[in-house]
Amino acid sequence: MKKQFLYAAVLALGISSCQSPDPQMVLEVDMNTRGADVPASMYGIFFEEINHAGDGGLYGEMLMNRSFEERVIPEGYKVENNELVAPILIHHSNGQTTSGRYRWGSDPYPGWELSVAEAARAEMGLTTEQPNFAAAPNSMKVNVSEKGNGVALINKGYWGLALQKDATYRLRMFMRSNSDAKEMTVRLLGPADKELGKAVLTLKNDNKWQEYKAEIQAMDTTTAGWLAIELPENGVYYFDYVSLFPKDTYKGRENGMRKDVAEVIEGLKPAFIRWPGGCIVEGITLNNRVQWKKTLGDPAARPGEYDTWGYHNSYGFGYKEFLDFCEDVGAKGMYVCNVGLACQYRSGEACSDKEAEGYLQDALDAIEYAIGGTDTEWGALRAKEGHPEPYPLAYVEIGNENWGSLYDSRFNMFYDAIKAKYPELTLISNHGLGGLGQARKTDMIDPHWYVAPDFFFNNTHIFDNHERGKYKVYVGEYACNQGVGGGNMLAALSEAAFITGMERNSDLVTMASYAPLFENKNDRCWATNLIWISNSQVVGRSSYYVQKMFADNKPTYNLPTKSELLWEVTEPMIREKGYVGFGSWSTQVQFRNLSVTDSTGVKTEADMNDASQWTVVSGEWKAEQGVYAQSSNETRTALFWNKAKAGAGDVIEFEVNKLSGDEGFFAYFGMKEPNLKDGYMLNAGGWGNTSTAIETVKNNGSSVLSDKVNDKVENDKWYQVKIVLKEMGADYYVDGKLMLAHVNKPVNRKFHVAGYDEQAGEVIVKVVNASETPCVTRIDLKGGEVASKGRVITLSSTSLEEENSFEEPLKISPVETEYNGFSSSFVYEFKPNSFTILRMKKK
């Protein structure tokens, strides 16, 4: 570990050691110069039905599979071995056939079971005979042939019903029956079958669909409750849409949101909400995309759809609910439309250009529903549904994570048509920072980043020199989600560092939203999410509090800053010998003639035919005639040589041949174990076979460490590769030519941004210290005076590995204190592992 002194601390600061510790950083804030305005739109949220974010999360419905539609197989799909198999299609971008297997399960009636007591006989099954709703035709048929000691249809909700003592719950259901019973009892039960509440319904046994409603007050609190519909007599019973809502929803809406979850969202003060996604906008295939028109009307009549993330989306949190929720939290709406392209990471299905006209009309209809006049078709429907005034829809994103020439042509088509009719709307493309391709014009672009911590730490200046004037930037999806557990403090601080760069460049980056937003603790489809939900708790990760602190302390405009980092620590790259291996990303590749030569010249050669020398982590690897080949299309494959290791001063050599695929190859080194937990890799021909770089590897993820160099790996050509390991870096040679020389630089973990809040009359300074030691900083405020008394808001942890949990939900949460030491020049010690906001009243 080396400490690099950039300046002589005492001379630079002009202070003595008796006055204060030598500062590590000097931060100058220019209070006289107005920087870029920080727009009101800056911080919003992105909602997608993933991880049971809506059904079983934000949406207030308490019963799972209320409409009995969860086992509807999407058109063209089939079920094999409890998996849903997508149809074989042609990917529009490369002409290759695609399919895929997705979660399905073995339970024929998710959420439902039949309780049959002693001496009773009954059976249950789904049916579409005499449907109650044509759009959602399934109902549950229960045939009670012998009542015995009791038969009940039971629903335990989303991993248990959470009931609160004295709270009231609204029951709504449809039933038809031919029994002779006059009454039916519906009970709320808890552990040990304890009755917590009941409703007695008066029946109409005319074998016609009847709607029944009741309110049930809970007599006790539990998180493990369930609902039981007791079938009173022998006969045949048909049930459709059995629903249970808390009466006390957010803002009191009958088909509303769960109050505690919605209030956590309200706490973020979102300027906008993006809906409905995400990949579910596209669908695995086009016919299972979200279709907004099917989400309107009576929730009981909505069919729902198999969700891209592996479960049924009830459509309860539909288009109208999204727009209502925007109003309820004071946010603008952002609707994401489909341009006739299914998910390009899945099937890549594309409709014809002629069919795309229907998708465009669908988008125009959605906009008309939200903001069209009441004299229009869809605006009139909005008024009929109780909202004659326009909703606050302000943005339309055209497509989701689409790219390529076909997307560009569709974008042009949609942009021109929507802009002509609704010039007031901001239209957003899926393009990143690399350019617009064949798209002629856009109002905003939407780059996405799901990365390891080092990426955010190393890219806080990514927007500084980006071209202005062509469009604004909406960072619609970003998160540190690689090698950070469920979402630890290291992740949160890396995001905070990246946000300082966005806020500093708020003339360009005018909107941002973390993703994904929610995770139900019982169904994690995506590894790292902002807010965790159980049936009774809502937990904000440390990243949630970073988002909240930025939103709560958004300045009116930025103030220019200068900083000097007087010294920082440089970490060695190679501390000890580590394992060596190979890999690929969506690419088929061969390797041969691996050897390691140590610093004394001793050479150890790998036996490429001896399987006992190798550990396969992922991919399909086969050894034959001295060549190890990887043949799968997996996105991160790995094979490790477990016979020898390489360390500083050693040279790794091998030959490689790319057979096919989208990228180049990986060479792993410095790995602590023969796995993907901790070490480094050379990514040659990465990023679409355009660049090469050295990356850190952490917990199956990777992050760029070195500079990127332009590079391409050709097919059917054997390359001779040499990697020279050094204590502070590594060099990469191809066919004797040096391609990349990397030397570790001081690791910067201090970041800042400053601004002025005109309404409060306060200077706001935000500082991220993502190192595990305090950062003593001298802060010089130029061009004005501040009051000595102000506020400090600090988010900190004892370790970068710490996380919040359901047991300790506020373990990492902001602490606000009064501070009396502000002046035009003062020294402040920022805690280790911290994000701190200083608020100072300007005189």
Side-chain angles (χ1 to χ4, degrees):
M1 185 176 294
K2 299 179 180 179
K3 183 182 289 187
Q4 295 194 355
F5 286 88
L6 307 182
Y7 298 86
V10 174
L11 291 177
L13 297 175
I15 59 175
S16 67
S17 59
C18 64
Q19 291 176 299
S20 66
D22 287 346
Q24 184 179 1
M25 183 168 69
V26 174
L27 176 59
E28 181 180 299
V29 179
D30 180 359
M31 295 196 300
N32 263 347
T33 304
R34 182 178 183 129
D37 288 350
V38 181
S41 61
M42 191 72 193
Y43 301 114
I45 63 170
F46 161 46
F47 177 87
E48 181 171 18
E49 185 58 80
I50 181 174
N51 309 305
H52 273 93
D55 292 332
L58 174 63
Y59 182 49
E61 176 62 69
M62 300 176 70
L63 300 184
M64 180 184 287
N65 194 14
R66 64 186 181 185
S67 290
F68 306 99
E69 300 293 326
E70 291 226 3
R71 282 299 177 248
V72 174
I73 300 173
E75 181 182 352
Y77 291 66
K78 60 183 177 180
V79 175
E80 289 181 353
N81 300 321
N82 297 323
E83 290 182 313
L84 185 68
V85 183
I88 296 173
L89 295 167
I90 303 297
H91 199 294
H92 75 267
S93 67
N94 56 27
Q96 296 181 1
T97 58
T98 63
S99 184
R101 306 181 77 92
Y102 302 92
R103 289 195 304 169
W104 189 255
S106 59
D107 186 351
Y109 319 117
W112 293 97
E113 58 187 83
L114 195 63
S115 174
V116 181
E118 186 179 355
R121 287 186 297 171
E123 57 185 9
M124 65 190 293
L126 296 178
T127 181
T128 56
E129 59 186 78
Q130 299 182 42
N132 187 24
F133 299 103
N138 275 321
S139 61
M140 178 63 76
K141 179 180 179 180
V142 183
N143 186 352
V144 180
S145 55
E146 183 58 57
K147 177 187 173 184
N149 289 333
V151 177
L153 186 62
I154 290 173
N155 191 302
K156 294 184 178 179
Y158 292 94
W159 301 282
L161 295 183
L163 304 171
Q164 289 290 324
K165 184 179 181 180
D166 298 328
T168 300
Y169 300 90
R170 287 174 168 153
L171 172 72
R172 183 190 180 203
M173 72 177 188
F174 292 85
M175 190 192 76
R176 65 182 179 91
S177 172
N178 63 0
S179 78
D180 295 328
K182 303 300 183 185
E183 293 181 338
M184 174 180 286
T185 301
V186 180
R187 301 183 194 275
L188 296 179
L189 301 170
D193 294 338
K194 178 182 178 182
E195 182 180 303
L196 301 181
K198 71 176 182 179
V200 179
L201 308 177
T202 302
L203 300 182
K204 296 180 181 180
N205 295 311
D206 55 3
N207 209 26
K208 295 181 181 179
W209 287 108
Q210 303 290 343
E211 181 177 11
Y212 298 92
K213 291 183 176 181
E215 292 189 352
I216 306 174
Q217 187 175 43
M219 297 182 290
D220 206 349
T221 296
T222 183
T223 60
W226 68 93
L227 177 138
I229 305 170
E230 297 179 354
L231 306 183
E233 300 289 348
N234 293 352
V236 180
Y237 302 83
Y238 297 84
F239 295 91
D240 192 13
Y241 190 76
V242 182
S243 170
L244 188 72
F245 264 81
K247 186 175 182 179
D248 187 20
T249 58
Y250 183 65
K251 303 296 185 182
R253 294 189 181 271
E254 285 196 19
N255 191 50
M257 306 301 113
R258 197 175 118 182
K259 190 174 182 179
D260 59 339
V261 180
E263 287 176 344
V264 170
I265 293 300
E266 183 182 64
L268 289 174
K269 300 179 180 177
F272 64 89
I273 301 175
R274 176 181 165 197
W275 182 95
C279 292
I280 68 172
V281 170
E282 306 153 279
I284 299 168
T285 56
L286 285 172
N287 66 2
N288 90 305
R289 71 190 187 279
V290 170
Q291 299 184 57
W292 70 272
K293 290 174 183 174
K294 293 181 179 180
T295 75
L296 299 180
D298 187 345
R302 300 178 190 179
E305 183 58 74
Y306 180 81
D307 190 89
T308 300
W309 298 107
Y311 58 90
H312 189 78
N313 179 349
S314 74
Y315 280 176
F317 184 42
Y319 190 45
K320 183 180 187 302
E321 287 75 26
F322 149 65
L323 294 168
D324 286 337
F325 190 54
C326 288
E327 282 196 333
D328 289 345
V329 298
K332 301 291 187 182
M334 180 191 299
Y335 172 64
V336 188
C337 66
N338 188 301
V339 297
L341 299 178
C343 180
Q344 290 181 242
Y345 294 105
R346 293 175 174 87
S347 73
E349 181 186 12
C351 73
S352 68
D353 288 344
K354 180 64 176 176
E355 291 169 325
E357 295 174 4
Y359 286 80
L360 172 57
Q361 188 58 53
D362 192 63
L364 290 169
D365 291 347
I367 298 168
E368 184 175 281
Y369 178 89
I371 63 175
T374 55
D375 57 345
T376 64
E377 177 185 0
W378 292 99
L381 179 60
R382 181 190 72 240
K384 183 180 178 181
E385 293 183 339
H387 201 287
E389 296 300 317
Y391 279 111
L393 183 72
Y395 311 94
V396 174
E397 181 153 8
I398 299 172
N400 173 74
E401 290 190 347
N402 298 134
W403 67 87
S405 59
L406 181 57
Y407 169 70
D408 289 348
S409 67
R410 295 278 172 87
F411 177 81
N412 289 334
M413 171 186 173
F414 276 60
Y415 182 92
D416 291 346
I418 297 173
K419 204 68 174 177
K421 193 169 184 179
Y422 300 101
E424 71 274 24
L425 292 178
T426 298
L427 305 185
I428 306 168
S429 78
N430 298 165
H431 297 94
L433 299 183
L436 298 183
Q438 298 173 38
R440 291 188 297 270
K441 182 182 180 182
T442 184
D443 301 337
M444 301 189 83
I445 62 171
D446 178 12
H448 294 176
W449 286 286
Y450 293 107
V451 297
D454 284 348
F455 178 90
F456 282 151
F457 288 135
N458 295 334
N459 285 278
T460 59
H461 295 280
I462 197 170
F463 303 108
D464 289 2
N465 298 311
H466 192 76
E467 184 179 9
R468 266 65 169 171
K470 286 188 175 181
Y471 45 71
K472 300 295 185 180
V473 174
Y474 162 46
V475 182
E477 298 182 34
Y478 71 98
C480 175
N481 67 349
Q482 298 179 22
V484 291
N488 58 28
M489 188 61 167
L490 176 61
L493 293 179
S494 75
E495 291 153 4
F498 194 66
I499 298 170
T500 65
M502 291 194 284
E503 189 167 285
R504 185 177 63 251
N505 287 278
S506 58
D507 63 318
L508 175 71
V509 183
T510 59
M511 300 171 69
S513 53
Y514 182 102
L517 184 64
F518 288 122
E519 171 195 320
N520 188 298
K521 67 178 291 187
N522 298 285
D523 187 26
R524 174 183 284 182
C525 309
W526 188 270
T528 307
N529 308 280
L530 191 67
I531 300 166
W532 299 333
I533 308 169
S534 71
N535 63 2
S536 61
Q537 275 186 277
V538 191
V539 176
R541 283 180 43 225
S542 48
S543 292
Y544 168 85
Y545 290 109
V546 164
Q547 297 285 326
K548 181 171 171 56
M549 288 169 67
F550 272 98
D552 285 345
N553 297 278
K554 184 181 69 65
T556 309
Y557 56 84
N558 285 310
L559 296 174
T561 62
K562 294 179 183 179
S563 67
E564 294 177 353
L565 192 62
L566 304 184
W567 57 265
E568 189 53 291
V569 171
T570 303
E571 296 287 345
M573 182 170 175
I574 305 297
R575 297 176 181 271
E576 57 190 30
K577 288 183 179 292
Y579 289 92
V580 176
F582 303 125
S584 61
W585 184 284
S586 300
T587 299
Q588 295 70 49
V589 65
Q590 297 174 317
F591 299 90
R592 69 186 183 193
N593 296 333
L594 171 66
S595 67
V596 172
T597 304
D598 69 18
S599 57
T600 66
V602 176
K603 186 175 185 177
T604 305
E605 297 181 348
D607 187 339
M608 310 294 284
N609 295 312
D610 182 3
S612 67
Q613 290 192 13
W614 300 88
T615 299
V616 174
V617 175
S618 56
E620 296 178 8
W621 296 88
K622 183 178 180 180
E624 191 172 27
Q625 297 182 343
V627 174
Y628 239 119
Q630 198 293 118
S631 59
S632 80
N633 203 42
E634 293 180 45
T635 54
R636 190 183 297 277
T637 70
L639 171 77
F640 286 99
W641 182 32
N642 54 39
K643 187 75 172 179
K645 298 180 180 180
D650 296 347
V651 177
I652 303 167
E653 295 179 279
F654 60 88
E655 294 177 67
V656 58
N657 176 38
K658 176 187 170 185
L659 299 174
S660 61
D662 299 329
E663 306 262 330
F665 64 89
F666 297 157
Y668 300 105
F669 59 91
M671 307 298 294
K672 290 186 178 180
E673 300 292 338
N675 54 35
L676 293 171
K677 295 294 185 183
D678 193 1
Y680 302 92
M681 74 177 190
L682 172 75
N683 183 355
W687 299 275
N689 203 13
T690 62
S691 306
T692 291
I694 292 171
E695 300 189 65
T696 56
V697 178
K698 293 284 186 182
N699 297 323
N700 299 308
S702 62
S703 180
V704 175
L705 178 65
S706 72
D707 294 333
K708 283 185 184 178
V709 295
N710 295 332
D711 194 14
K712 182 178 181 180
V713 179
E714 297 179 10
N715 287 8
D716 301 318
K717 177 182 178 180
W718 282 99
Y719 294 90
Q720 292 183 331
V721 174
K722 180 169 70 173
I723 302 173
V724 180
L725 304 184
K726 303 175 181 179
E727 180 187 4
M728 303 304 295
D731 296 338
Y732 165 52
Y733 294 82
V734 176
D735 295 335
K737 179 182 177 182
L738 178 63
M739 299 294 293
L740 173 65
H742 170 68
V743 177
N744 269 14
K745 300 174 183 177
V747 181
N748 178 27
R749 292 292 184 266
K750 282 80 177 173
F751 308 90
H752 56 82
V753 67
Y756 184 68
D757 182 342
E758 286 184 324
Q759 184 175 358
E762 293 180 344
V763 175
I764 303 173
V765 176
K766 301 168 184 171
V767 175
V768 177
N769 177 22
S771 64
E772 299 197 82
T773 56
C775 180
V776 177
T777 302
R778 194 184 80 192
I779 299 176
D780 294 331
L781 304 176
K782 302 296 185 180
E785 299 288 334
V786 295
S788 61
K789 181 185 293 186
R791 291 180 291 148
V792 176
I793 306 152
T794 305
L795 185 75
S796 64
S797 65
T798 58
S799 164
L800 290 172
E801 305 300 318
E802 282 188 339
E803 301 181 19
N804 286 344
S805 66
F806 285 98
E807 293 72 30
E808 296 182 278
L810 299 177
K811 184 176 185 179
I812 305 173
S813 55
V815 175
E816 182 171 326
T817 57
E818 185 179 279
Y819 187 72
N820 291 302
F822 294 131
S823 66
S824 58
S825 182
F826 64 98
V827 174
Y828 191 89
E829 182 177 291
F830 294 97
K831 289 185 174 182
N833 315 321
S834 67
F835 171 43
T836 306
I837 299 176
L838 310 179
R839 296 198 63 126
M840 297 163 278
K841 198 77 173 179
K842 187 176 180 181
K843 290 183 178 179

